[in-house]
Amino acid sequence: MRTKVVIGAAVACAAVAGLLYASPYLALRSIAKAVDNKDPDTVSEYVDFPALRESVKGQMLIKMQAEMQKPEMQDNPFAGFGQILAAGMINQLAETLVSPAGVMLMLEKGKPGKSTDVAAAGAGVDTQGSKPRPDYAVNYRGWSKVFVHPKGEQGGFVFKRDGLMGWKLVAVKMD
């Protein structure tokens, strides 16, 4: 009798562990169905918009800083003014463009792409053509974070665990 209880408990623990491991795949399946059905409300349930906006803003600001470090920009007397203007525009772009429609387009195309693609996606413009959705790789980055990206690509999506079984898109990694 005692061995049956131990075996039952071990099987239950293994089933729970398997379900927890599979939970991002289940969430991604639900997201893919919502994208295929053009259902932005369902997609929005899987997105942490404030965190995603901060991710996009940060990457755009880093890209701008890299541009400002180029030798031709360091001698430009208007570079500082342009940098201030660009930072304000980046904030507004991220606030405006990380929308349910923009996120759906990024997910539909399979990658966030370059910062210009992210901006265009937020405005509903398809800059990546009508290529079929690529195969994804899911890489665990700890217990509560996964990186989902098209196989062979650097850019992708970062999901964080929301509760025990849920997952939310919190960041993108642009090319």
Side-chain angles (χ1 to χ4, degrees), residues 61 64-65 68 77-92:
L61 286 170
M64 180 191 64
Q65 290 291 341
M68 296 305 290
F78 297 108
F81 178 69
Q83 187 174 7
I84 292 169
L85 243 158
M89 286 177 40
I90 287 171
N91 286 333
Q92 286 298 324

Side-chain angles (χ1 to χ4, degrees), residues 37-135:
N37 293 333
K38 307 280 188 222
D39 183 2
D41 294 332
T42 301
V43 170
S44 294
E45 293 174 13
Y46 292 95
V47 179
D48 181 349
F49 284 102
L52 185 58
R53 279 186 195 100
E54 287 303 313
S55 167
V56 170
K57 276 187 216 179
Q59 291 181 67
M60 290 176 135
L61 286 170
I62 288 170
K63 191 158 229 29
M64 180 191 64
Q65 290 291 341
E67 289 293 318
M68 296 305 290
Q69 298 303 318
K70 290 184 177 178
E72 62 269 13
M73 293 303 285
Q74 291 181 352
D75 295 334
N76 188 335
F78 297 108
F81 178 69
Q83 187 174 7
I84 292 169
L85 243 158
M89 286 177 40
I90 287 171
N91 286 333
Q92 286 298 324
L93 272 173
E95 291 295 325
T96 304
L97 300 176
V98 177
S99 64
V103 171
M104 276 205 31
L105 189 56
M106 283 189 286
L107 291 169
E108 185 176 8
K109 296 304 168 191
K111 65 178 185 173
K114 297 173 178 48
S115 56
T116 54
D117 293 337
V118 173
V125 177
D126 181 1
T127 61
Q128 298 176 10
S130 58
K131 297 183 271 185
R133 189 178 307 140
D135 289 333

